[in-house]
């Protein structure tokens, strides 16, 4: 029975499903759906998945979407054992909690930052979106305390999902070094998850590049504007200092009666045109 996975490499959830499929040794027919060009809205795909989301799995007559559901289904159906997703109620519950943490807390905070940049024309990351993501990374750091992986010392589908998410925001340029457990865990995942570099890291890098390409120009612009403002401020202060020195010198040379400034006298400073500066996209 052939298994088809509709996949978008830049999508962390989509990479999760493909990682699990490959780890199980499945010969999956991967069909790329380019969300950037809205291929997911084509009638043929909408007929398969009316929510038009990726990943979407077609296994014979069975169709399933949502990455966590796909990962669990693949393990239950094709795995030789239940290591990646144990049947033990306690172990399974903990994995489920971590999966829900990803889908309900961590990934939405990543998406809140990146989606507007990729699809809505935003060119900056608001400060109010940074703290919630750092908070989520802090939670993950606590989960990993004393553990090699997110539910213990064995890699599971929860690690696959969370690694796909975290690697995406790291590729954007987010600094996870303050979270020592997260940083160490992500390195372990890269070593322990099969095909990590080819399937996950490559897609994460493409995602990060796409996001950075839309915000880098803003960073350059901010640096330019800040530099320009500092230059103008220094120029004004220098001019004031010169005037002050001249004033002192003139006071020493003339009496109060000899040096009179009329009320209608003024000094014109040439407009630098800073308000109309335009920085082109790079």
């Amino acid at each position: 029975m052939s298994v088809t996975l509709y996949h978008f490499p830049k999508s962390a959830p989509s990479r999760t499903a493909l990682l699990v499929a490959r780890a199980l040794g499945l010969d999956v027919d991967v069909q790329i759906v380019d969300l950037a060009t809205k291929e997911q809205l084509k009638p043929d795909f909408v007929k398969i998945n009316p929510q038009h989301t990726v990943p979407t799995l077609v296994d014979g007559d069975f169709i399933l979407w949502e990455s966590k559901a796909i990962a669990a289904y693949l393990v239950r159906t094709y795995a030789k054992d239940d290591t990646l997703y144990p049947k033990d109620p306690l172990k399974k519950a903990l994995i489920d909690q971590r999966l829900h943490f990803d889908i309900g807390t961590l990934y939405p905070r990543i998406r809140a930052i990146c989606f507007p940049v990729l699809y809505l024309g935003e060119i900056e990351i608001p400060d109010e979106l940074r703290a919630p993501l750092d908070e989520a990374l802090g939670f993950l750091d606590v989960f990993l305390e004393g553990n090699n992986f997110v539910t213990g010392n064995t890699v599971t589908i929860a690690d696959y999902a969370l690694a796909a998410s975290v690697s995406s925001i790291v590729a954007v340029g987010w600094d996870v070094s303050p979270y020592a457990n997260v940083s160490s865990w992500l390195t372990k995942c890269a070593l322990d998850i099969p095909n990590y570099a080819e399937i996950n890291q490559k897609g994460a890098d493409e995602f990060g590049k796409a996001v950075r390409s839309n915000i880098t120009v803003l960073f350059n612009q901010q640096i330019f504007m800040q530099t320009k403002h500092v230059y103008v401020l220094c120029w004004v202060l220098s001019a004031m200092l010169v005037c002050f020195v001249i004033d002192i010198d003139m006071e020493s040379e003339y009496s109060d009666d000899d040096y009179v400034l009329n009320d209608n006298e003024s000094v014109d400073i040439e407009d630098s045109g800073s308000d109309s500066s335009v920085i082109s996209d790079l």
Side-chain angles (χ1 to χ4, degrees):
M1 186 179 298
S2 63
V3 177
T4 300
L5 184 70
Y6 292 90
H7 172 61
F8 184 50
K10 294 177 185 177
S11 163
S14 194
R15 297 197 305 273
T16 298
L18 185 57
L19 280 171
V20 173
R22 293 296 192 216
L24 297 176
L26 295 180
D27 184 16
V28 181
D29 176 23
V30 178
Q31 295 292 321
I32 302 298
V33 180
D34 190 350
L35 305 186
T37 59
K38 300 186 184 300
E39 287 185 356
Q40 75 275 20
L41 300 180
K42 289 184 176 181
D44 287 348
F45 185 67
V46 174
K47 185 177 180 180
I48 295 171
N49 176 356
Q51 283 187 261
H52 43 78
T53 57
V54 297
T56 294
L57 181 81
V58 178
D59 189 359
D61 295 328
F62 181 63
I63 300 173
L64 184 66
W65 53 92
E66 297 296 342
S67 61
K68 279 65 171 175
I70 291 172
Y73 167 79
L74 289 175
V75 172
R76 289 286 181 262
T77 306
Y78 293 104
K80 296 178 181 179
D81 56 51
D82 67 348
T83 303
L84 285 177
Y85 191 44
K87 295 177 182 177
D88 177 89
L90 298 182
K91 293 180 180 180
K92 178 181 178 297
L94 193 56
I95 293 171
D96 288 342
Q97 184 274 319
R98 303 298 197 247
L99 291 172
H100 285 295
F101 168 75
D102 182 42
I103 198 172
T105 301
L106 178 63
Y107 192 69
R109 297 182 187 189
I110 294 173
R111 189 179 187 276
I113 288 172
C114 299
F115 183 87
V117 174
L118 289 172
Y119 298 108
L120 302 180
E122 294 292 335
I123 58 172
E124 64 180 4
I125 300 174
D127 290 339
E128 59 267 24
L129 296 180
R130 297 175 183 268
L133 177 53
D134 282 330
E135 180 188 49
L137 291 169
F139 291 149
L140 181 58
D141 204 61
V142 173
F143 298 162
L144 287 161
E145 187 65 39
N147 298 317
N148 288 326
F149 298 101
V150 295
T151 62
N153 292 317
T154 304
V155 66
T156 70
I157 60 173
D159 295 285
Y160 283 55
L162 286 162
S165 295
V166 174
S167 61
S168 295
I169 198 63
V170 168
V172 170
W174 211 269
D175 182 15
V176 297
S177 62
Y179 312 101
N181 294 331
V182 173
S183 183
S184 176
W185 159 79
L186 195 60
T187 300
K188 291 187 183 77
C189 286
L191 296 173
D192 282 48
I193 297 176
N195 304 296
Y196 184 94
E198 176 189 352
I199 295 174
N200 186 66
Q201 193 58 58
K202 183 178 179 181
D205 289 343
E206 291 176 0
F207 175 82
K209 182 179 179 180
V211 175
R212 292 196 312 272
S213 68
N214 289 336
I215 60 177
T216 299
V217 65
L218 175 68
F219 294 155
N220 290 342
Q221 181 178 357
Q222 286 178 329
I223 293 171
F224 177 85
M225 293 298 290
Q226 289 168 0
T227 302
K228 183 180 70 174
H229 291 162
V230 169
Y231 173 80
V232 171
L233 178 61
C234 290
W235 183 85
V236 171
L237 290 174
S238 298
M240 292 173 63
L241 179 60
V242 170
C243 292
F244 179 70
V245 171
I246 291 174
D247 184 53
I248 292 175
D249 183 64
M250 293 181 72
E251 285 184 357
S252 64
E253 185 175 350
Y254 298 97
S255 67
D256 291 341
D257 291 338
D258 292 331
Y259 183 63
V260 177
L261 181 64
N262 296 329
D263 291 340
N264 62 351
E265 289 181 336
S266 63
V267 178
D268 292 331
I269 300 177
E270 183 180 357
D271 182 7
S272 66
S274 62
D275 290 339
S276 61
S277 297
V278 177
I279 301 176
S280 60
D281 292 338
L282 301 177

